[in-house]
Amino acid sequence: LHKIAAVASLTARLQDNKNALGILFLLPTAVLLLVFLTYPLGLGTWLGFTDAKIGRAGEFIGLGNFEFLWNDSVTRLALFNTIFYTTVASVIKFGLGLWLALILNQHLPFKGFLRAIVLLPFIVPTALSAIAFWWIYDSQFSIISWTLQRMGLIHQYIDFLGDPWNARFSTIAANIWRGVPFVAITLLAGLQTISPSYYEAASLDGATPLQQFRYVTLPLLTPIIAVVMTFSVLFTFTDFQLIYVLTRGGPLNATHLMATLSYQRAIPGGSLGEGAAIATAMVPFLLAAILISYFGLQRRAWQQGGKD
Amino acid sequence: VSEIKRRKFLKTSAGLAAGAAAGPMIWVKDANAQQWKNTPEKGAKLRVLRWSRYVQGDIDQYMKNVAAFTQKYGIEVRVDNEGWEDVRPKAAVAANTGAGPDIILSTNDDANLYPDKLVDVTDLCTYLGSKLGGFYPVCDPYLRPDGKKWIGVPLGVAGVCMVYRQSHMKAAGFDTFPKDTDGFLKLCKALKEKGTPPAFALGNATGDANTWCQWLVWAFGGKLVDTSNKVVIDSAETLKALEYVKDLYGTFAPGTLSWLDPNNNKAFLDSQISLTNNGISIYYAAKNSQDPKVKEMSADIYHANMPVGPVGKPTEFQLFFNQMIFKYSKYPKAAKEFLRFMMEPEQMDPWVQAGIGYVTPALRHYEKNPIWTVDPKHTPYRDSMKNMLPSGYAGKMGYASAGALADFIVVNMVAEAASGSKSPKEAAQRAQKRAERYYKV
């Protein structure tokens, strides 16, 4: 009985202590994050510094993997591909997404229906849309080549995925198709939080639509843009499924991204350490992207119309 | 030297035993049959992980055989299927963590990645070998790396042959399929002129691109490494192969640099190409097609073994299947019994037939299976094991050979030289550098 009373009083005291209670409530989330996020990330980073193979624990080899990767022509190519892919795709996704968001923000007929349709590419599982693109780009059965040929515009099927530069642009196009809805819908949500009274005030001051966009819409939308572009860049930089289905990194490794190369080296190739090193090498680029968006776009002064 | 001699002796004596088993000396067979003594553990249960079927008949008959095993021994067997490329990482993780299926059917170099995690099956392989005509010598580097101890039971290969349209070949002025690489190039040029071009995958196609690119480089005497695992791909022989492939590529249908495994099947069945390399699947897809036109085409589809190059012997490369028992298994004896049961003619023969020849078994006895002769078009696939060189030729298998293959070093080299994006010399030098990394000089 004495014991029970002691436990009861301890519980009571615990319930009164805000700090202890706070920690208690945070615990489940903290454990989940630690087990499923921090641990794998830490393990992945650690593996990058070892020569681990699948089925064999590795030994610490310092920067050995990174040294090799720096001199490895395929990795360098993959790095170039990834940066090119991310830059081109993100810029175009932002442009198209913003444009689409502005259009959808107008009073259009069938507004709800149109917005639903815009989301479709985003809803379809990547692997499925990638297979659709695979057929669209097929060297023998491409619907685009077929149509153009029927129209007499080309005489030979376009080698969408067989020529290095064609393949790069084809995969970028597929990525854009998939990524635009995310940007557009998020920016649309941002646009709708802007109070109409600003526009009324601006038009009373005689601002042209362009000036309204520049001095009202854009500054107020910047925080959302920062967030959505950060995510968009992260998704694009780490893209895997699309490339894996369309080209597996070919032709001549022209579309190998860091993510696909990391997989190829780590899992089918068995070099866990090297694959992990490639994945780890992506982190600085991702951090840079996040920091740029954070410091570059979140500046309060600029948002409020002032100068930096 | 003595090591080599002893190996040779072992091989020859195995061959003699094989000849004896196949011959009229029935007493040998009986003696061997008695030789197999194994009592599965009481209350054993087995889990098997295997690559998923390519043809429905394979898995149907496999499961029938499994059911027969359960009925006979009272041992429950659970079979899981995975795409063959996914079995490799799973098997490696099982080996590493010491938990997983008792038996894994995997591919290529896998057993050499963790040989000390596998149950020694020398007794089983000796029994099977002497009873069923012996394993083909190419099984040794895969599963008997030291020439003595078997670390897995060879199952066979998914044979790849030349698949061609007979009428197109005849129209191009050839009555029979060329046996050598010179004739083969001539045929391809003639086919191209007639507007019925050949085409071979040059993308990162794990199956088709690897099989024909390795074959070609080997046919000219090029090889990634020598017998001591020294990288020697940047050689005069490789350059000859790459010069050859430049000419050959000129005859291909467009787009092959992007081709993955399914592309050549699609293009062939659509009559866009008349020659490619593949398993028996194109023929069977055509034969069983609902489309009468495609079905009609199957009569025109023929197969031939890969032509022989200047080295003067077959140099095919095939996807090899192994069967591994893991040391962590609580029922290694039951597992051995299971593999023995599945490899015995009562089970294997119907399985090979149900798989319509997709798998060429590793035991010579199964050359006599009627599937190879019931339709003469099957026959070339019978010899897939006989005509092949092992993965990582001419070196030893291990992480280096597995990694180099998975990184498409040879395929990329051939593709670079073929497409002219690099000169043959540059392509070979680059492959040399990439391979040296795996084989760490």
Side-chain angles (χ1 to χ4, degrees), chain A residues 54 68 73 138-139 264 274, chain B residues 92 259 266 272 407 430 437:
Chain A
I54 288 193
F68 159 67
S73 54
D138 193 282
S139 52
Q264 178 177 308
E274 202 178 305
Chain B
W259 277 18
K266 291 192 302 188
Q272 301 214 15
D407 212 17
R430 210 166 89 89
R437 192 8 223 175

Side-chain angles (χ1 to χ4, degrees), chain B residues 174-192:
Chain B
F174 283 75
D175 281 335
T176 54
F177 197 87
K179 292 246 181 298
D180 59 15
T181 42
D182 286 345
F184 179 66
L185 182 59
K186 279 185 200 136
L187 168 66
C188 288
K189 283 183 173 161
L191 283 171
K192 159 93 174 170

Side-chain angles (χ1 to χ4, degrees), chain A residues 67-285:
Chain A
E67 254 169 60
F68 159 67
L69 290 171
W70 182 245
N71 293 314
D72 176 35
S73 54
V74 179
T75 312
R76 283 185 170 210
L77 188 62
L79 179 63
F80 165 76
N81 293 337
T82 313
I83 292 173
F84 182 77
Y85 183 81
T86 311
T87 316
V88 176
S90 299
V91 167
I92 298 180
K93 271 192 277 193
F94 173 66
L96 286 178
L98 184 61
W99 186 40
L100 205 58
L102 290 170
I103 293 175
L104 289 174
N105 200 30
Q106 310 289 320
H107 290 286
L108 295 168
F110 312 113
K111 198 159 68 178
F113 179 68
L114 282 176
R115 286 180 187 172
I117 285 202
V118 165
L119 260 183
L120 268 183
F122 192 58
I123 296 168
V124 181
T126 313
L128 275 188
S129 50
I131 287 173
F133 271 102
W134 189 52
W135 280 98
I136 291 173
Y137 292 146
D138 193 282
S139 52
Q140 269 73 34
F141 301 94
S142 163
I143 179 86
I144 299 175
S145 297
W146 185 84
T147 314
L148 290 176
Q149 201 176 39
R150 284 294 151 107
M151 289 163 71
L153 293 174
I154 53 169
H155 300 292
Q156 214 182 3
Y157 269 38
I158 302 168
D159 201 0
F160 284 107
L161 299 175
D163 172 81
W165 280 103
N166 283 357
R168 285 190 187 113
F169 286 114
S170 303
T171 46
I172 287 176
N175 179 281
I176 290 171
W177 178 84
R178 222 194 113 64
V180 162
F182 170 69
V183 179
I185 293 294
T186 320
L187 290 183
L188 179 62
L191 284 175
Q192 291 185 338
T193 62
I194 301 175
S195 160
S197 56
Y198 291 122
Y199 294 106
E200 281 165 24
S203 61
L204 283 179
D205 287 345
T208 62
L210 205 67
Q211 281 171 326
Q212 283 186 19
F213 175 75
R214 170 67 187 83
Y215 294 104
V216 179
T217 313
L218 212 53
L220 288 169
L221 204 56
T222 315
I224 301 279
I225 292 177
V227 172
V228 77
M229 285 322 290
T230 310
F231 274 105
S232 178
V233 166
L234 295 189
F235 289 155
T236 317
F237 201 88
T238 55
D239 198 3
F240 176 85
Q241 298 178 62
L242 197 68
I243 299 292
Y244 198 69
V245 173
L246 283 179
T247 63
R248 291 221 169 176
L252 311 174
N253 298 317
T255 60
H256 244 316
L257 302 183
M258 303 281 274
T260 49
L261 188 68
S262 166
Y263 172 80
Q264 178 177 308
R265 294 269 166 91
I267 307 297
S271 307
L272 266 189
E274 202 178 305
I278 298 176
T280 309
M282 292 165 75
V283 173
F285 294 96

Side-chain angles (χ1 to χ4, degrees), chain B residues 299-357:
Chain B
D300 193 30
I301 301 178
Y302 279 74
H303 303 119
N305 289 114
M306 309 293 273
V308 174
V311 292
K313 60 169 189 180
T315 55
E316 293 178 6
F317 181 58
Q318 312 287 12
L319 177 64
F320 183 89
F321 297 126
N322 59 42
Q323 309 174 91
M324 306 179 286
I325 304 175
F326 285 81
K327 274 188 184 159
Y328 58 71
S329 167
K330 278 189 272 178
Y331 311 111
K333 285 185 174 169
K336 272 189 192 174
E337 201 58 39
F338 175 79
L339 291 183
R340 182 198 64 79
F341 186 81
M342 299 298 272
M343 297 293 285
E344 296 277 8
E346 294 76 21
Q347 282 67 242
M348 195 71 168
D349 270 324
W351 182 66
V352 171
Q353 272 168 286
I356 51 179

